Amino acid sequence: MPLQISLRSLYTQSHKLAPTLSLSFLPHLRRTMATSGDIVNPTTTRVGWIGTGVMGCSMCSHIIKAGFKLTVFNRTISKAQPLVDLGANLASSPLAVAAQSDVVFSIVGYPSDVRSVLLDPTSGALAGLRPGGVLVDMTTSEPSLASEIAAAAAAKGCKAVDAPVSGGDRGAKNASLAIFAGGNEGEVRRLNPLFSLLGKVNYMGESGKGQFAKLANQITIASTMVGLVEGMIYAHKAGLDVSLFLNAISTGAAGSKSLDLYGSRILQRDFEPGFFVNHFVKDLGICLKECQNMGLALPGLALAQQLYVSLKAHGEGNLGTQALILSLERLNNVSLQSAARGGSGSGSGSS
């Protein structure tokens, strides 16, 4: 006679049935619960991560240290090795990550990469995700792609959240990132135990709104960076000690996060990337495209984009965004290299 157990009887008589339940049934039960709206926690939620570069590696380490089971994928396997050493499982494809996960994060380079790792029908994460699973894309990407991913996920009985971040490598290391989330508000709340390990999540609205918020963030940073390096060039040309100048303005109205993160790094000619020029050019290009769609004229954004494009033209795309000083130095035939005496601001970070 077939075994039939109603949900009511399973609930009311669980203490009687528990000794006879197959141990192999319990992980299945936990997985079903983890993808059906229960609170996210290390016991019931398996996490996947695609992209373990400058940002992703640090972010993943926080998740592992919090006790979550983590499965990772990265095209360059060596960049995932530090996480494997911490206990992460290494998967052979985004699909393989999703097959072993309830929530899959991605943070990759370009919109084309996002489309490939999430939506490819043969190797993408969505193809391997069970109904009830969640995709969380933290790449700065196109709002329209975020909406497309959300629609594709919904068609499969899954969910998607666009959650790009700001704060760069320093924010990733210190778990102090600003996270801009778009999608179902309840789902964003449910994922907060994971988001809180990485920084502060800010709910921005429906699918795509997280990306719109991040693009507005990049527009703000772009003009701020131009102002910072122009002020430094001017101070240098005027014969000021640039280090003393940066210290002086840091507590006044001209003080900014960009100054705190990049002031001394620029003076020390430290152009190691907390955020790549190549990726910032990509971001600003998406901003300009969205401005065209909206009929917006933002001349500060356009100027900043051209200055960063000039860095790429000089082969400096793999430097950090603070390398913008090089573009202004060339434009004015000056160099701040002799002004490096330590000084204001320290650390790394970015957009």
Side-chain angles (χ1 to χ4, degrees):
M1 178 177 179
L3 178 64
Q4 296 181 344
I5 302 176
S6 70
L7 289 177
R8 181 182 295 274
S9 64
L10 179 61
Y11 174 78
T12 58
Q13 301 181 46
S14 59
H15 64 288
K16 298 178 182 177
L17 292 172
T20 61
L21 284 174
S22 166
L23 292 177
S24 64
F25 173 74
L26 295 178
H28 173 75
L29 179 60
R30 285 196 295 267
R31 288 195 294 270
T32 302
M33 293 172 62
T35 57
S36 61
D38 278 23
I39 298 298
V40 168
N41 64 70
T43 303
T44 62
T45 308
R46 301 168 306 156
V47 180
W49 197 285
I50 301 166
T52 59
V54 172
M55 300 283 291
C57 191
S58 294
M59 296 164 80
C60 285
S61 68
H62 300 309
I63 291 175
I64 295 173
K65 290 172 184 176
F68 285 89
K69 179 181 178 182
L70 185 70
T71 302
V72 300
F73 169 79
N74 198 71
R75 286 178 298 187
T76 305
I77 295 176
S78 61
K79 291 184 178 180
Q81 189 58 48
L83 299 171
V84 174
D85 294 341
L86 287 176
N89 297 320
L90 182 63
S92 59
S93 69
L95 186 150
V97 169
Q100 303 172 59
S101 306
D102 305 305
V103 181
V104 178
F105 289 86
S106 54
I107 183 163
V108 292
Y110 298 88
S112 58
D113 298 321
V114 174
R115 182 178 294 279
S116 174
V117 301
L118 297 186
L119 297 182
D120 187 282
T122 59
S123 63
L126 184 58
L129 198 63
R130 284 186 309 279
V134 188
L135 299 177
V136 182
D137 183 36
M138 307 192 93
T139 314
T140 303
S141 184
E142 297 167 347
S144 59
L145 179 55
S147 298
E148 181 183 345
I149 292 167
K156 192 179 175 181
C158 300
K159 296 178 181 178
V161 173
D162 49 294
V165 299
S166 180
D169 62 337
R170 184 181 182 184
K173 290 173 184 175
N174 296 335
S176 59
L177 294 167
I179 305 168
F180 310 103
N184 179 273
E185 185 173 6
E187 191 62 25
V188 172
R189 262 198 314 269
R190 191 177 77 88
L191 294 172
N192 192 57
L194 286 167
F195 286 137
S196 64
L197 298 173
L198 310 175
K200 179 186 177 184
V201 65
N202 305 274
Y203 180 69
M204 307 308 299
E206 64 187 6
S207 294
K209 296 303 186 185
Q211 292 295 350
F212 277 120
K214 176 58 190 293
L215 294 175
N217 178 84
Q218 300 302 72
I219 292 169
T220 305
I221 288 175
S223 291
T224 301
M225 286 297 295
V226 172
L228 172 61
V229 297
E230 284 189 343
M232 294 176 72
I233 291 285
Y234 178 87
H236 174 71
K237 192 70 173 180
L240 295 174
D241 181 315
V242 181
S243 175
L244 293 177
F245 162 70
L246 292 178
N247 274 318
I249 68 171
S250 64
T251 57
S256 69
K257 195 76 168 181
S258 294
L259 169 57
D260 295 339
L261 294 174
Y262 294 125
S264 69
R265 295 187 74 183
I266 291 172
L267 286 180
Q268 294 164 11
R269 316 303 282 185
D270 176 4
F271 300 131
E272 283 297 307
F275 194 76
F276 290 105
V277 166
N278 280 333
H279 291 168
F280 201 45
V281 169
K282 175 263 296 183
D283 293 355
L284 299 184
I286 296 173
C287 292
L288 288 170
K289 179 181 175 182
E290 294 299 329
C291 284
Q292 186 173 11
N293 293 339
M294 298 175 184
L296 279 179
L298 300 181
L301 164 63
L303 172 61
Q305 191 259 2
Q306 288 295 294
L307 291 172
Y308 275 105
V309 167
S310 76
L311 292 177
K312 283 193 67 174
H314 281 83
E316 295 157 349
N318 286 325
L319 299 181
T321 50
Q322 69 272 25
L324 182 63
I325 192 69
L326 300 175
S327 180
L328 271 292
E329 286 178 339
R330 282 190 286 262
L331 193 61
N332 292 283
N333 194 29
V334 299
S335 173
L336 266 64
Q337 192 155 8
S338 61
R341 296 179 185 176
S344 165
S346 64
S348 60
S350 148
S351 23

